[in-house]
Amino acid sequence: MVERGVDGHAPTAVVDASVIPTVRAKLPEFTGALQRVAELVLADPASAARSTIVELAERSGTSPATVTRFCRALGFEGYAELRLGIAAETGRARAAGWSVDIGREIGPGDPLVKVLEQVMAADTRAMHDTAALLDLSEVERAAQAIAGAARVSIFGASGSALVGEEMQFSLHRIGVAAWAWTDVHNGLASAALSRPGDVALGISHSGQTRETIEMLAEAGGHGATTIALTSFPRSALAELADIVLLTATQATTFRPDALSARHPQLVVLDLLYVAVAQRTHQRSHAAFQRTAQAVDPHKSAKDGATP
């Protein structure tokens, strides 16, 4: 799919993604009438796929011309193409069993079996949507940069900080010098020491976390290659990064977007970690063997310990 600006002008990027995660990612860019159309499509994609352009315009309180602008903002030539895209996507969702519970509120009295089904369906959908949104050429660029980096700094706050620490642990196991910074003062100090050849990775679902933006900008200002992991391609974090890795989310009751972003973020970073290990295979394999050997006696002692 070709992505166009909301004014319908020339394409700015090429996006090979599912319709709904693309609408969700672009929602903050839309205002007024376009936003109402987007929210209606997100609220009930199946109904949107069945509606005529006039019906969708009436339900969103807009006009057919606005719906056409919305289609072009997503890279479609017209409404018929958008309807086909949504219909195909909702069909895949039904076939995969995702549509039964996704979007339904979880009640305080719901049995755990129902809650489990809801969480699994939402997470599975988010993983597939992330795979559809993700630009593998950007993953390739990020892996190449990290594989050749003298130092990797990872920045994040709150839940994103936990995800960053997982990535730091994985990279350390294969001999990549990586540090995860959650305190803004320490992170800025580290970023200020960045040099060309270093890599800085900023993680933020919204792409608007001020501390993460500041740390990534500081590192980039000193020549580091900057990578953003976010759900919003036009966010402040994404705009300042050299490389952007996108995730999709599927919120559920008690797990808003920021919390439901954790698993898609981990999937993308796991893919990036494996890509780095592939590109540094000999070094990574040797490092992993040594680190595994170092901790093995502690595992053996624990396994063999008498209760």
Side-chain angles (χ1 to χ4, degrees), residues 118-119 122-123 250-260 262-263:
Q118 170 85 347
V119 170
D123 280 352
Q250 185 68 56
T252 60
T253 315
F254 308 119
R255 287 201 319 164
D257 281 343
L259 291 178
S260 61
R262 182 173 62 242
H263 290 146

Side-chain angles (χ1 to χ4, degrees), residues 153-173 178-183 201 203 229 262 265-266 269 273:
S153 296
I154 304 170
F155 307 119
S158 189
S160 295
L162 299 177
V163 174
E165 288 173 350
E166 285 282 334
M167 184 60 169
Q168 186 263 347
F169 169 76
S170 297
L171 291 176
H172 255 204
R173 286 298 300 268
W179 287 266
W181 303 100
T182 57
D183 177 85
L201 168 63
I203 304 171
L229 178 64
R262 182 173 62 242
Q265 287 172 341
L266 287 170
L269 291 180
Y273 155 73

Side-chain angles (χ1 to χ4, degrees), residues 50-74:
R50 292 191 300 268
S51 301
T52 66
I53 189 170
V54 174
E55 289 169 342
L56 189 65
E58 289 177 348
R59 288 171 54 212
S60 60
T62 63
S63 66
T66 299
V67 175
T68 300
R69 284 180 57 219
F70 172 75
C71 296
R72 290 175 179 166
L74 295 176

Side-chain angles (χ1 to χ4, degrees), residues 97-109:
W98 297 334
S99 60
V100 177
D101 282 329
I102 289 181
R104 186 185 68 80
E105 290 293 313
I106 297 175

Side-chain angles (χ1 to χ4, degrees), residues 14-238:
V14 175
V15 179
D16 182 13
S18 299
V19 181
I20 301 306
T22 301
V23 174
R24 190 177 293 114
K26 291 175 71 68
L27 184 61
E29 300 173 35
F30 296 136
T31 57
L34 287 177
Q35 188 177 68
R36 293 200 297 275
V37 177
E39 288 172 346
L40 186 62
V41 169
L42 290 175
D44 194 349
S47 177
R50 292 191 300 268
S51 301
T52 66
I53 189 170
V54 174
E55 289 169 342
L56 189 65
E58 289 177 348
R59 288 171 54 212
S60 60
T62 63
S63 66
T66 299
V67 175
T68 300
R69 284 180 57 219
F70 172 75
C71 296
R72 290 175 179 166
L74 295 176
F76 293 108
E77 291 300 321
Y79 185 59
E81 189 180 355
L82 174 68
R83 285 182 67 187
L84 286 174
I86 297 175
E89 189 170 337
T90 54
R92 288 194 301 271
R94 283 193 297 271
W98 297 334
S99 60
V100 177
D101 282 329
I102 289 181
R104 186 185 68 80
E105 290 293 313
I106 297 175
D110 282 356
L112 281 180
V113 64
K114 201 68 178 176
V115 175
L116 176 61
E117 290 174 0
Q118 170 85 347
V119 170
M120 289 294 294
D123 280 352
T124 301
R125 179 63 182 269
M127 302 294 186
H128 281 266
D129 286 351
T130 294
L133 276 177
L134 195 60
D135 185 341
L136 293 181
S137 66
E138 290 287 271
V139 177
E140 173 74 34
R141 290 179 61 207
Q144 293 285 15
I146 292 174
R151 182 175 73 154
V152 178
S153 296
I154 304 170
F155 307 119
S158 189
S160 295
L162 299 177
V163 174
E165 288 173 350
E166 285 282 334
M167 184 60 169
Q168 186 263 347
F169 169 76
S170 297
L171 291 176
H172 255 204
R173 286 298 300 268
I174 59 172
V176 176
W179 287 266
W181 303 100
T182 57
D183 177 85
V184 67
H185 290 181
N186 290 337
L188 285 171
S190 175
L193 296 175
S194 297
R195 295 178 294 183
D198 291 345
V199 170
L201 168 63
I203 304 171
S204 169
H205 159 66
S206 68
Q208 303 295 348
T209 305
R210 190 182 67 183
E211 294 85 351
T212 304
I213 293 168
E214 289 177 356
M215 290 185 284
L216 196 69
E218 181 71 23
H222 293 279
T225 299
T226 52
I227 304 169
L229 178 64
T230 179
S231 299
F232 296 94
R234 298 295 175 86
S235 61
L237 188 71

